[in-house]
Amino acid sequence: EAGVAQSPRYKIIEKRQSVAFWCNPISGHATLYWYQQILGQGPKLLIQFQNNGVVDDSQLPKDRFSAERLKGVDSTLKIQPAKLEDSAVYLCASSLDSAGIYGYTFGSGTRLTVV
Amino acid sequence: KQEVTQIPAALSVPEGENLVLNCSFTDSAIYNLQWFRQDPGKGLTSLLLIQSSQREQTSGRLNASLDKSSGRSTLYIAASQPGDSATYLCAVRDSNYQLIWGAGTKLIIKP
């Protein structure tokens, strides 16, 4: 089965600019997650979708971050405007069930550098 | 509140050695525990998933054990190779279905 696809792999932007990341989960996986991973730390959940509905976005900085999953498949994560502290790897993951009982599959991530 | 700790933060061993990575968690009420591998600047690759009713899982040279009562999991790597160099993270699915992560152990295998 094809894995979780993410693009771009790398992005360098100046602070106050905007950026968008794209994710295509494994076919049939209803649940999609966006994580932020700062160097040396474990991933931090930003948002969880079940089909095209939001299950958990409690840690998403909503003043600058937004995410959507319009047709319950692909998803985009946007940052506008970016800050220096947003430099991180942004990881997309999907799971078969909303509880993650069968585990997660992650994409390769997008490394964002804000200068 | 569930907390996950991985000690040591970094480990360097010669090629060929068998080694153990540790993961501890504070609340034994978990659904499962998953071990991941992460290469520098890359995404996460799932290695092993242990359900709460299981004691261990094996895949090739990797063996993961789970002892819920003591709040511990170990990842055993046999006959280590330079290609095993990476950061290894464990994550616990807690009673609220939240995934709680450790900070990882950075492993270096010296040729």
Side-chain angles (χ1 to χ4, degrees):
Chain A
E1 83 186 342
V4 175
Q6 285 189 250
S7 67
R9 289 297 311 278
Y10 307 94
K11 192 75 176 178
I12 300 174
I13 62 172
E14 296 182 349
K15 59 183 179 183
R16 292 186 289 274
Q17 285 187 326
S18 63
V19 64
F21 312 127
W22 173 83
C23 173
N24 181 248
I26 290 176
S27 177
H29 281 197
T31 309
L32 184 147
Y33 313 81
W34 283 102
Y35 283 87
Q36 179 193 60
Q37 187 180 23
I38 293 172
L39 187 64
Q41 299 180 16
K44 168 189 165 185
L45 178 67
L46 293 176
I47 189 166
Q48 176 182 342
F49 290 97
Q50 179 69 19
N51 296 309
N52 60 350
V54 175
V55 174
D56 183 355
D57 64 355
S58 58
Q59 298 192 86
L60 185 73
K62 298 180 184 64
D63 58 332
R64 298 185 300 107
F65 286 64
S66 64
E68 60 182 12
R69 193 184 185 199
L70 292 176
K71 297 182 180 179
V73 181
D74 293 7
S75 176
T76 57
L77 175 69
K78 298 179 182 178
I79 307 174
Q80 181 179 15
K83 294 184 176 181
L84 296 176
E85 58 261 37
D86 297 333
S87 295
V89 176
Y90 290 84
L91 298 164
C92 179
S94 68
S95 64
L96 190 61
D97 64 305
S98 61
I101 298 300
Y102 301 102
Y104 285 69
T105 302
F106 280 80
S108 298
T110 296
R111 174 176 285 280
L112 174 67
T113 302
V114 183
V115 298
Chain B
K1 177 186 175 184
Q2 179 74 268
E3 294 182 358
V4 179
T5 304
Q6 291 185 251
I7 295 174
L11 181 64
S12 180
V13 300
E15 179 179 4
E17 282 198 3
N18 302 324
L19 59 98
V20 173
L21 305 181
N22 297 297
C23 173
S24 61
F25 46 96
T26 54
D27 187 345
S28 61
I30 66 170
Y31 283 100
N32 57 41
L33 184 147
Q34 195 164 1
W35 282 93
F36 294 88
R37 168 190 172 133
Q38 186 171 35
D39 294 286
K42 302 289 181 64
L44 295 157
T45 301
S46 177
L47 298 174
L48 291 164
L49 170 68
I50 311 176
Q51 300 295 348
S52 61
S53 58
Q54 298 174 324
R55 294 299 299 261
E56 66 176 349
Q57 284 285 334
T58 298
S59 176
R61 294 182 295 109
L62 305 179
N63 175 275
S65 68
L66 175 64
D67 184 343
K68 281 201 313 177
S69 61
S70 66
R72 291 188 60 198
S73 175
T74 61
L75 179 66
Y76 175 83
I77 303 177
S80 59
Q81 304 170 359
D84 295 330
S85 298
T87 296
Y88 291 79
L89 294 105
C90 70
V92 164
R93 173 72 67 177
D94 73 5
S95 57
N96 296 315
Y97 295 107
Q98 300 296 311
L99 200 61
I100 311 299
W101 293 84
T105 294
K106 183 176 182 179
L107 177 64
I108 298 174
I109 307 298
K110 297 175 290 186

